[in-house]
Each structure stands twice: as C-alpha cells, then as structure tokens.
Amino acid sequence: MPTDATAFGPGRVNLIGEHTDYNQGLALPFAIADGVTVNAWARDDRVVRVLAVDLDEQDEFLVDSPGRVDGWRAFVRGTVAELSRFGVPLVGASLEISGTVPRGAGLSSSAALEVALVLALLSESNVPEPDRLELARLCSRVENEWVGAQTGLLDQIASLFGEPDRALRIDFRSLSVRPVALSLGGCELVTLDSGEEHIHAGSGYNQRRAECAEAAELLGVDSLRDATMEMAAELPSPLSLRVRHVVSENSRVSEAVVALERGDMEELGRLLDASHASLRDSFAVSTDAVEDAVARCKGAGALGARIMGGGFGGSVLALLPPDGLVLEGAVSVRPGPGARVSPL
Ligand code: GLA
C-alpha cells in the first residue's frame, strides 16, 4: 500500500575541505537547519505531478518515461528515473516542493532537493530505505547525468548523515564518515551571501574537475589523494596549482580536526584563511563579489573567512569571535540533524 509522506533534506555548510571530494580527499561539512521539504501523495495512475511552491511552477510526466528537461524539473525527473533504474517499483505521485535554503547561494539547495525527493518517493512507494551511502551515490548520479553538473558526494553525504552539534569528517577514498564535535568556545560560524548566484552546471566547476582528472593521469596516480607537493611541481601551470590546492586542502582538513579537538579557534581561523587563499590563488574559483564578502567578514573581526562550496559566487563562511563587530546580512549556522522522512 502506498503511503503519503513528507521528507526534509537539509542544506549544508562545509567547514573546510573544498574541491577534495571528487579527488578522493577529505572534507568537514555539516547539515544545517534550512533545507527542502517534499510532500508526496500517492496516486492511482502512473503520473507524477509536481508543484514547486516557491517558484509557483509545475511539471507533469509519466513514471515510466520521465524524459529530459532543464532547471528544477531535471532534478525531479532524474530522481524518478534513477530510482526506477535502482529497481524501486515507484507508483504515481503528487509532489509539493518547498524550501528555506536559498538557491544558488552555495548552501547545497540541489542536494537538499535530491535527498528530500529520494526519501519521499521511497517512503511513498513503501520501499525500505537502502544504505544511505547508496542513496548519496544515487542523488549524485541525478546531478551528474540529468542536471549536467559533475559534482562529487560532499553535499549529499552531509545532508544524509548530518548530526546535531557535530561536523562530519568524510574520507572520500574509503567513504568513511566520522562525526567530530563542533565546540567553538563562544565563537560563531556565519554565512554571508556574496550576492552572486552560482550554478555548477554552467560555471567553471566541470572544468576544474576535468583539470584534476588530467593532472592525476599525467602523474600516474588513481586520484589526487595520492599526489604530493613535489609531484605538483612537475606539472605545467595551471595543473600544478590545482594539485597544490588539493594536497594542501587535505592537510588543512586534518589540522582543522585537531584544532577543534583542542578548542583552538585562532588556529581554525588561520586554516579557513589559508583555504580561501588557496581556493583563490591556486584553484581560481573566487570572484570580485566573493572577495568583497570575505573582506567584509575580516573587517568585522572574523578569525577566518573563506569562499565555500563550488565557488564562482555563492556564500562565504566566517568564524566570528565572541567580541566581533556586527556583520550585516550574516546568518548564524550550526550543525543540525540529517535528512528525515515521516508519514503525512
Ligand atoms: C559543490 C559540489 C561538491 C563539492 C564542492 C566543492 O558543492 O556539489 O561535490 O565538490 O562544490 O568542495
């Protein structure tokens, strides 16, 4: 018997470890309170009817032939197609999508949508939830093959595995996820929107990913996880710079875990600043609007601030001390629970 369901997929903040996921590296994200809700009502035909409440737009297609489209509709049709390919016997559904995480702000509205859709459709079809790593891979296929963004698994794992008060140390080679207590000793993490919308499918994101793959091939390693600074020096520019970023960023994730365990907020701030400098100078994913936003954070006394997510716009992340100045437009962020679903 189909069951009506409501599912919530949270967005994410990535404390540190950027552009490392598709290089089998390390990252330290957490799920946030904002996200996407999908309500699903079973239908007795094979139709999927969708209402995107915030956009006041609709879509309608057959479960068995989703077809290819652009924009938000690609996420829904791709999720239905990938669940069918995964062997889930989907039924028709009326879906209502609404969200609190801003689109294009670098807080993973895409993964939040994919995750909420997957959980709602599984529950509505009365299929027990598979392993969440499998679900993360499925959501990532939606993005890679239906939306056209060659993104990794960072956002989906953060959304699916989030825990209150903890960041997640993810090792993308073993796909192990270790919660790390996020005690900030009176400091606060905030995001500040640069005002520049970023879209993975159309930005330089896919190009960066291709450059990393090319560098790994030239170096004869499976992934840049096995690269070193010495190896980076053998490559022509800009590949050498891309490798330098990935190698140093992996180290910074490990150092950030140690800083958190020691409660050393000055050191955590220094690592955020170093991550930003590397993303700007070596990985070349910053923009003028992002630099302005980072400068505003630093001007307000941030211990560290950096571009977050894929880059080319979106939000910046800052660590503010207890006695920092007011930072207008900043939104406080802390780790919340991961994706969840319940009967409607
Ligand atoms: C985006 C992608 C992730 C990851 C980050 C950069 O958020 O969706 O897979 O690559 O960029 O760290």
Side-chain angles (χ1 to χ4, degrees):
M1 264 290 285
T3 319
D4 300 339
T6 181
F8 177 77
R12 66 98 190 90
V13 153
N14 190 16
L15 184 52
I16 198 158
E18 224 61 273
H19 289 275
T20 48
D21 60 347
Y22 55 83
N23 290 304
Q24 294 195 15
L26 304 172
L28 197 57
F30 56 85
I32 56 175
D34 284 324
V36 173
T37 298
V38 173
N39 293 333
W41 294 270
R43 300 170 59 96
D44 50 18
D45 54 16
R46 303 288 297 158
V47 171
V48 179
R49 183 171 285 175
V50 199
L51 173 65
V53 176
D54 307 320
L55 302 172
D56 195 21
E57 288 178 4
Q58 298 179 18
D59 193 19
E60 188 174 313
F61 58 93
L62 291 172
V63 176
D64 310 290
S65 52
R68 299 231 166 224
V69 285
D70 288 336
W72 66 269
R73 294 176 178 86
F75 288 92
V76 187
R77 293 181 182 222
T79 305
V80 166
E82 289 299 327
L83 278 170
S84 298
R85 209 199 272 182
F86 195 68
V88 174
L90 290 178
V91 295
S94 291
L95 304 175
E96 212 177 75
I97 303 171
S98 58
T100 54
V101 62
R103 282 178 302 279
L107 298 172
S108 257
S109 55
S110 303
L113 172 59
E114 295 150 18
V115 162
L117 278 168
V118 158
L119 291 184
L121 287 166
L122 280 168
S123 176
E124 190 239 320
S125 303
N126 249 328
V127 173
E129 201 183 293
D131 172 56
R132 286 202 163 194
L133 275 178
E134 277 307 324
L135 291 186
R137 288 197 190 91
L138 189 150
C139 291
S140 163
R141 286 199 292 279
V142 172
E143 204 149 327
N144 296 168
E145 290 166 31
W146 292 81
V147 180
Q150 301 307 314
T151 49
L153 286 170
L154 171 75
D155 309 338
Q156 292 80 6
I157 293 182
S159 182
L160 283 159
F161 287 82
E163 288 187 27
D165 304 324
R166 290 179 159 75
L168 306 170
R169 179 202 181 268
I170 308 173
D171 181 330
F172 291 93
R173 176 146 63 185
S174 60
L175 286 184
S176 64
V177 180
R178 177 162 69 86
V180 175
L182 197 78
S183 314
L184 300 175
C187 292
E188 189 187 11
L189 281 169
V190 298
T191 58
L192 181 67
D193 196 340
S194 70
E196 191 171 357
E197 189 176 343
H198 88 136
I199 303 169
H200 291 324
S203 73
Y205 185 96
N206 289 351
Q207 190 195 351
R208 290 292 171 279
R209 186 162 180 163
E211 287 167 347
C212 290
E214 189 187 345
E217 199 180 321
L218 286 173
L219 293 173
V221 290
D222 278 351
S223 74
L224 293 186
R225 177 68 176 272
D226 296 319
T228 60
M229 286 300 197
E230 293 71 41
M231 289 160 108
E234 295 165 18
L235 293 171
S237 190
L239 298 188
S240 55
L241 290 169
R242 308 296 185 247
V243 176
R244 287 180 69 82
H245 167 70
V246 174
V247 172
S248 62
E249 187 77 350
N250 282 335
S251 303
R252 281 186 288 272
V253 173
S254 301
E255 290 168 47
V257 171
V258 174
L260 278 173
E261 284 164 355
R262 289 203 186 126
D264 188 344
M265 293 302 111
E266 295 282 341
E267 172 67 358
L268 187 61
R270 188 194 69 74
L271 290 164
L272 295 184
D273 284 344
S275 172
H276 181 70
S278 179
L279 285 158
R280 180 191 59 214
D281 302 334
S282 297
F283 220 68
V285 292
S286 191
T287 63
D288 290 348
V290 166
E291 290 307 313
D292 282 355
V294 166
R296 281 181 55 208
C297 295
K298 296 296 285 183
L303 298 174
R306 65 175 201 83
I307 187 169
M308 192 179 62
F312 305 101
S315 293
V316 304
L317 177 72
L319 180 66
L320 297 182
D323 54 357
L325 304 175
V326 174
L327 180 56
E328 207 177 317
V331 178
S332 181
V333 281
R334 43 198 301 247
R340 48 216 181 257
V341 61
S342 52
L344 251 183

